[in-house]
Amino acid sequence: MDPLLYLGGLVVLFLLWIKVKGLDYVIVHQRWIFVCLFLLPLSVIFDVYYYLRAWLIFKMCSAPKQHDQRVRNIQRQVREWRKEGGKTHMCTGRPGWLTVSLRVGKYKKTNKNIMINMMDILEVDTQRQVVRVEPLVNMGQITALLNSLGWTLPVLPELDDLTVGGLVMGTGIESSSHIYGLFQHICVAFELVLADGSLVRCTEEENSDLFHAVPWSCGTLGFLVAAEIKIVPASLWVCLQYEPIRGLENICRRFSEASEDKNNTFVEGLQYSLDEAVIMTGTMTDTAEPDKINRIGLHYKPWFFKHVERYLTENKKAVEYIPLRHYYHRHTRSIFWDMSSYSPPAHALVSLMHAHTHCY
Ligand SMILES: Cc1cc2nc3c(=O)[nH]c(=O)nc-3n(C[C@H](O)[C@H](O)[C@H](O)COP(=O)(O)OP(=O)(O)OC[C@H]3O[C@@H](n4cnc5c(N)ncnc54)[C@H](O)[C@@H]3O)c2cc1C
């Protein structure tokens, strides 16, 4: 049969099924169809577009020139709100579905939305060891650029889509936080548009009260329009040691010991039951033992939490060398273990598409 006719037949059957069962039923009970047919292809197009856009803009150095214009645009929106009498509160105009959150804030519908379309890396200053970014720059964008230049953030929250604005105004933590602290602790300057429309820069020395009040303020003090963040030299690999541990006390003790040892650049524990965990400790290195290399971000590799679980089941310690960027985004494909709530066909597609669009 002509493949087009065959496809047409399938589409008609699918539509009939939706008509009989109802769209709500199909979306709720057969989520994977919606995910595979619509959500994933759309998110691939979205990611590829943003990746190419970010790359082109950085190469053309056009972001710094546009930045001032974008800031003026935000100031204009805030001043308009004041002129209108400031009747409602203001909030960022970023829709809830774009954020890494399970909550879709209703306040976005009633408050004055200030559109902050600022998603570019403005400058990488290797002399001062600082990167200056706009608030919608995300972690995937940062590792793609910085790691290729031989630099990285000391604290790199692992999901690609987490943004600098969200991590500063909300919070951010990562497996290197036992050394460097939270995401806000690696920030050296914030630039904000305040409720009167003025632009303010704050650092440890300049407007220091504001500088210390911004983290966790969830946008209540002003709109973040840029941040300067410390960078450190990056290596090619993470040498990761896996250690299965049993017994809650042993798990807590081993995790504390590993965190106190500052030779461990990365410390992470994944707990599989009340009494079973795998503690991982890692260091950056430029050399790797070839037979211990594991490129965990490739699409055919098991999800990271599943891979780690194997060491618990087999009750054995192990050492692996993981490419730095694969390590950083180790939980992106599976969103920790959330993705396992989808059905098997979605598993396969999600793994494949995320590996291609997010990792490499
Ligand atoms: C499934 C899941 C996994 C997660 N994994 C991690 C993780 O691995 N590591 C980690 O550290 N955290 C993690 N988090 C928590 C996450 O860091 C926070 O929820 C974070 O604040 C979300 O970032 P976002 O970029 O989506 O920000 P948003 O949700 O968009 O924003 C967070 C807050 O900051 C405010 N804000 C954002 N931009 C601006 C701006 N320009 N000006 C003023 N205010 C602003 C918003 O109004 C909001 O109050 C996870 C959360 C979920 C749901």
Side-chain angles (χ1 to χ4, degrees):
M1 202 201 297
D2 187 331
L4 273 179
L5 264 178
Y6 184 68
L7 194 71
L10 278 179
V11 172
V12 171
L13 277 176
F14 179 60
L15 291 175
L16 270 175
W17 183 52
I18 292 181
K19 185 150 178 47
V20 173
K21 288 283 190 185
L23 186 61
D24 290 0
Y25 176 90
V26 175
I27 289 179
V28 172
H29 295 276
Q30 303 294 337
R31 215 169 355 172
W32 68 272
I33 298 180
F34 181 67
V35 170
C36 293
L37 290 185
F38 303 106
L39 221 53
L40 283 172
L42 281 177
S43 78
V44 170
I45 295 169
F46 192 76
D47 285 344
V48 170
Y49 166 75
Y50 275 103
Y51 180 82
L52 289 176
R53 184 196 164 281
W55 184 81
L56 266 176
I57 286 193
F58 191 78
K59 287 283 164 204
M60 287 159 50
C61 293
S62 59
K65 287 169 224 149
Q66 290 171 15
H67 177 73
D68 293 345
Q69 178 60 36
R70 291 177 191 153
V71 172
R72 280 196 291 277
N73 183 26
I74 292 165
Q75 290 179 293
R76 182 189 50 75
Q77 293 178 65
V78 172
R79 285 177 183 141
E80 262 173 30
W81 167 82
R82 281 175 70 84
K83 233 191 246 165
E84 289 159 9
K87 292 185 198 92
T88 57
H89 294 297
M90 290 183 283
C91 67
T92 61
R94 191 172 182 227
W97 58 268
L98 266 178
T99 69
V100 184
S101 170
L102 305 176
R103 187 185 67 140
V104 179
K106 284 189 185 154
Y107 65 90
K108 296 260 177 190
K109 288 199 179 127
T110 49
N111 289 1
K112 163 94 176 165
N113 282 218
I114 303 295
M115 300 315 294
I116 304 180
N117 295 318
M118 308 181 98
M119 52 186 75
D120 291 318
I121 297 177
L122 299 170
E123 192 188 359
V124 181
D125 185 339
T126 52
Q127 296 293 317
R128 283 177 60 222
Q129 302 206 350
V130 155
V131 59
R132 182 165 173 254
V133 297
E134 292 185 326
L136 285 180
V137 164
N138 68 34
M139 294 301 108
Q141 211 177 326
I142 286 198
T143 50
L145 181 77
L146 282 187
N147 295 177
S148 68
L149 301 174
W151 293 89
T152 193
L153 295 190
V155 178
L156 199 295
E158 60 245 340
L159 296 186
D160 289 31
D161 292 329
L162 293 167
T163 63
V164 168
L167 293 167
V168 168
M169 292 288 181
T171 191
I173 190 165
E174 190 28 54
S175 57
S176 55
S177 286
H178 62 295
I179 298 180
Y180 298 102
L182 299 174
F183 191 80
Q184 71 231 37
H185 297 129
I186 61 163
C187 295
V188 293
F190 301 125
E191 291 164 46
L192 296 130
V193 171
L194 304 183
D196 62 356
S198 61
L199 174 67
V200 175
R201 179 185 149 87
C202 58
T203 66
E204 191 70 63
E205 292 81 31
E206 190 184 349
N207 297 315
S208 69
D209 50 350
L210 184 60
F211 179 70
H212 289 287
V214 162
W216 294 9
S217 64
C218 292
T220 50
L221 298 175
F223 294 105
L224 186 73
V225 292
E228 285 180 25
I229 312 171
K230 277 184 211 159
I231 55 175
V232 289
S235 302
L236 295 175
W237 307 94
V238 171
C239 172
L240 196 65
Q241 309 206 23
Y242 302 83
E243 191 182 342
I245 315 256
R246 289 187 162 76
L248 191 55
E249 266 183 36
N250 291 337
I251 294 170
C252 295
R253 185 184 39 75
R254 184 67 193 103
F255 192 76
S256 302
E257 270 171 22
S259 305
E260 276 157 26
D261 182 354
K262 303 298 181 225
N263 291 317
N264 294 324
T265 315
F266 304 106
V267 178
E268 183 181 25
L270 290 186
Q271 190 143 356
Y272 292 86
S273 74
L274 188 62
D275 291 316
E276 296 173 305
V278 177
I279 305 288
M280 287 159 277
T281 52
T283 47
M284 281 201 226
T285 169
D286 279 325
T287 50
E289 297 172 57
D291 57 325
K292 291 185 181 157
I293 288 176
N294 187 359
R295 297 175 195 277
I296 56 170
L298 297 178
H299 67 83
Y300 55 83
K301 293 283 180 172
W303 284 341
F304 187 65
F305 79 96
K306 281 283 172 201
H307 168 63
V308 177
E309 192 175 19
R310 209 172 52 111
Y311 293 115
L312 184 71
T313 321
E314 294 173 6
N315 199 26
K316 69 170 187 197
K317 290 186 181 181
V319 175
E320 284 179 346
Y321 291 84
I322 298 174
L324 180 65
R325 197 154 182 260
H326 290 222
Y327 174 78
Y328 279 144
H329 300 302
R330 64 200 176 282
H331 292 298
T332 292
R333 276 195 299 150
S334 54
I335 318 182
F336 301 96
W337 31 88
D338 281 10
M339 207 49 81
S340 52
S341 60
Y342 293 104
S343 64
H347 275 190
L349 257 176
V350 168
S351 301
L352 197 68
M353 289 180 164
H354 269 277
H356 286 308
T357 59
H358 282 268
C359 285
Y360 324 90

